[in-house]
Amino acid sequence: MVRNPSPITTSTSPSSWRIYKEEGSSHFNEGHYEHALASYRAALHPQYHIPNAEKQIILSNIVATRLKIGTKAMAEAAITDAKQCIALNDRWPKGHVRLASAYIALGGHSNDACNCLQRAVMLEPSNTVARQMLLQELRRDRESRNEGGGGGVAPSAPPLEEVIHADASGVTSTYGDAVGVDDDDDDVQPPAFNPDSFSFS
């Protein structure tokens, strides 16, 4: 049985927002994305005095949840949320990866997505998820330009399932942990990346 998030109470307990965050993560892991979104949004209610680092994680989780819901309106809202996440700390690479994921899901924003991914790689050169996404987006852009006669037409978005597809082992196969949720600011280990498997001739 799916439980709706509890209504906002007048409690200002510092741990109240944590309850909503935990509910959101639970709903997300169960595939109840609408409920997860409601819980995460409740955690950000202005009555709670949440440290910026926690706000940024919750916003990042909201972006991931919106991308799982998968509508154009959710992708547009995810861009706004990702920008808010980055505004709290523009040195957190995952915020830039989230914004890139939202741009890719929306489509027609390949350059914006690549800029975000380049920033993430600059901040964290060992970020294999950002590197893999950047290479895939550059490849998609190049293929689109070649198919379009070199006219520089922005590529269309990949199917959302490609952006968020997870294989049976639970490892996200296309864009790593770009659409998973965080319980803290430690990133989940991304799948191994082999730079030799990519070439641009």
Side-chain angles (χ1 to χ4, degrees), residues 33-92:
Y33 304 119
E34 297 284 348
H35 295 295
L37 181 59
S39 293
Y40 287 135
R41 292 187 67 199
L44 290 179
H45 194 276
Q47 76 181 13
Y48 302 124
H49 302 287
I50 306 171
N52 280 346
E54 290 293 335
K55 281 182 190 175
Q56 139 187 8
I57 292 167
I58 294 168
L59 283 165
S60 174
N61 291 349
I62 287 173
V63 172
T65 304
R66 289 186 186 282
L67 294 177
K68 285 286 193 175
I69 293 170
T71 65
K72 181 178 179 181
M74 284 293 163
E76 290 170 345
I79 290 170
T80 301
D81 293 327
K83 286 179 178 179
Q84 289 176 6
C85 176
I86 291 169
L88 291 171
N89 177 6
D90 71 345
R91 303 208 38 89
W92 190 44

Side-chain angles (χ1 to χ4, degrees), residues 102-183:
Y103 279 133
I104 291 166
L106 185 58
H109 293 272
S110 182
N111 193 49
D112 294 325
C114 287
N115 287 338
C116 295
L117 294 167
Q118 287 172 346
R119 176 76 172 145
V121 170
M122 185 178 72
L123 291 169
E124 184 182 7
S126 64
N127 188 325
T128 56
V129 170
R131 281 186 185 280
Q132 184 176 8
M133 287 176 66
L134 178 58
L135 289 172
Q136 288 174 338
E137 193 60 22
L138 289 170
R139 177 179 284 152
R140 186 180 350 271
D141 185 48
R142 182 172 184 208
E143 289 170 358
S144 174
R145 289 173 193 260
N146 288 340
E147 290 172 7
V153 178
S156 62
L160 192 55
E161 295 76 29
E162 182 180 331
V163 175
I164 60 177
H165 174 71
D167 65 19
S169 69
V171 177
T172 305
S173 58
T174 301
Y175 293 130
D177 66 345
V179 292
V181 294
D182 289 314
D183 291 324

